[in-house]
Amino acid sequence: MPRLPLGDVLRHADLVTEQEPHPQALYERWEKQQWSAQAIDLERDREDFDKRLPRSVRKIVEESVATFIIGEYTGLDLLGPILTGAPEEHDHLYLGTQIADETRHTQLMLRLGEELLGLDPDPKKMLVQAWNMVTPPHRDLSRIETEVIREVQEHPSDYRRWLRAVALFHLITEGVLALVGQRAIVNSLHGVPLLAGVKAGFTAMCRDESRHVSFGLHALRQGVREGYGDDIREIIELAGPIALNIEEGGQADEAPQGLTMKQLGIESLYRQLRLIGIEKEFADHVVALAAPKPAPGEASPRP
């Protein structure tokens, strides 16, 4: 996987989502795209990380791994209620594969936390350490996730609440945050003859993420067509601005294509909203909410 062309890795999810695959097709992709988190060799990566990696790239790797330790572990909590509340049988079959993916991703991140960053091998203690390494907006988004998933758990047959959870997890957390972050670290390591295991792992995760985001867009596209667009817009309006600002002060200047992480997140948001049938004017509104606010006493910028 580290030898895959960079352009193929960065474009893969876009190509898959544009095809608008059905959950059964995504299940079939999953069967063909298996990999092992335990089989990835990290012994040389630790030596590369400690002795050979440029400091700027090392910081990106540290921040990325800490973020994904939290994100992948949280994904396991979120997906259980989403699977239980799924309205169609083919949704259940696909979501079972996504839970397997999130488990594999979590296992890889725990390995990277311990073997690469030297964090505590106890997952509970490692999560605390990882939380101390990420930006404050992560906590804001986590609070929203907790509330939305609690609603789905309490009302497992409520399609409206289920769509809100899918919009939050698959479109925002996975589509705006995880996919952009995975692409950024793959891009940052491109051309660096180090960290082969990290490259392999994040490349495999990028491919998995294309299936996850595609399922979410399929479900949300149906929801919009069935008249639940306002419910989907409501959760995106709440969580989208937080997600777009979540890496401020972190990896902002290290994203692919010469763009900041926020700019790539904005591109992803526009694209995904278009694919589910939500108007560009709403995307403009969410992006405007994510714009920097003037400091007290500072004049707002002229239109």
Side-chain angles (χ1 to χ4, degrees):
M1 283 193 184
R3 292 188 293 273
L4 286 173
L6 177 65
D8 290 355
V9 175
L10 299 183
R11 289 193 304 269
H12 180 71
D14 295 342
L15 295 174
V16 173
T17 54
E18 289 286 352
Q19 296 169 10
E20 299 187 3
H22 188 272
Q24 179 62 29
L26 294 173
Y27 175 88
E28 292 168 8
R29 279 179 176 268
W30 176 80
E31 282 201 341
K32 298 172 183 176
Q33 296 178 337
Q34 295 300 303
W35 58 282
S36 169
Q38 287 299 108
I40 292 177
D41 184 1
L42 296 177
E43 184 174 352
R44 176 171 282 182
D45 285 47
R46 179 59 190 261
E47 188 173 341
D48 289 342
F49 186 79
D50 286 341
K51 300 178 180 178
R52 303 186 184 95
L53 202 65
R55 182 174 298 179
S56 60
V57 179
R58 177 172 173 157
K59 184 173 185 293
I60 294 167
V61 174
E62 287 177 339
E63 292 173 348
S64 294
V65 171
T67 298
F68 279 100
I69 289 170
I70 295 165
E72 300 300 340
Y73 204 89
T74 302
L76 289 176
D77 292 334
L78 298 177
L79 272 174
I82 290 176
L83 184 151
T84 300
E88 304 289 344
E89 290 306 315
H90 57 245
D91 297 336
H92 284 260
L93 292 174
Y94 166 74
L95 286 166
T97 73
Q98 189 173 341
I99 288 178
D101 286 343
E102 300 296 347
T103 303
R104 181 163 43 216
H105 296 181
T106 299
Q107 180 63 34
L108 177 61
M109 290 305 109
L110 293 176
R111 286 192 64 204
L112 290 177
E114 177 183 357
E115 298 175 40
L116 199 69
L117 305 190
L119 300 181
D120 197 295
D122 182 330
K124 289 184 178 180
K125 294 178 180 177
M126 186 188 295
L127 280 169
V128 173
Q129 292 173 314
W131 272 114
N132 290 332
M133 296 169 68
V134 299
T135 59
H138 281 90
R139 295 176 178 82
D140 297 331
L141 192 61
S142 179
R143 282 191 287 270
I144 296 172
E145 290 171 341
T146 299
E147 178 61 23
V148 168
I149 290 302
R150 183 186 62 79
E151 291 182 4
V152 176
Q153 288 173 320
E154 293 177 355
H155 306 276
S157 299
D158 190 321
Y159 183 49
R160 180 184 68 85
R161 286 185 169 91
W162 185 79
L163 285 171
R164 284 166 53 85
V166 170
L168 177 59
F169 184 60
H170 287 81
L171 194 151
I172 297 296
T173 303
E174 302 247 277
V176 173
L177 288 178
L179 191 57
V180 169
Q182 289 160 3
R183 286 168 164 174
I185 194 167
V186 169
N187 181 77
S188 298
L189 295 176
H190 177 65
V192 178
L194 306 170
L195 298 186
V198 173
K199 291 177 187 177
F202 274 90
T203 299
M205 288 169 62
C206 275
R207 188 174 62 182
D208 291 349
E209 217 70 67
S210 71
R211 298 192 303 271
H212 304 173
V213 175
S214 293
F215 171 80
L217 298 185
H218 165 81
L220 296 172
R221 191 160 44 243
Q222 283 192 312
V224 170
R225 290 170 181 167
E226 294 171 11
Y228 293 90
D230 286 344
D231 297 291
I232 294 168
R233 290 183 187 90
E234 181 183 349
I235 195 66
I236 292 171
E237 181 182 48
L238 178 64
I242 298 172
L244 292 176
N245 287 313
I246 209 162
E247 297 296 348
E248 288 301 310
Q251 307 161 12
D253 297 323
E254 302 290 348
Q257 306 165 20
L259 301 175
T260 66
M261 294 286 285
K262 182 172 183 176
Q263 288 169 328
L264 289 177
I266 289 171
E267 283 190 359
S268 182
L269 180 68
Y270 272 111
R271 187 174 170 282
Q272 291 180 73
L273 291 180
R274 172 179 62 81
L275 288 171
I276 67 173
I278 287 183
E279 63 283 353
K280 179 180 179 296
E281 290 76 12
F282 176 74
D284 292 338
H285 167 67
V286 175
V287 171
L289 291 176
K293 303 297 186 293
E298 180 182 334
S300 299
R302 294 179 182 272

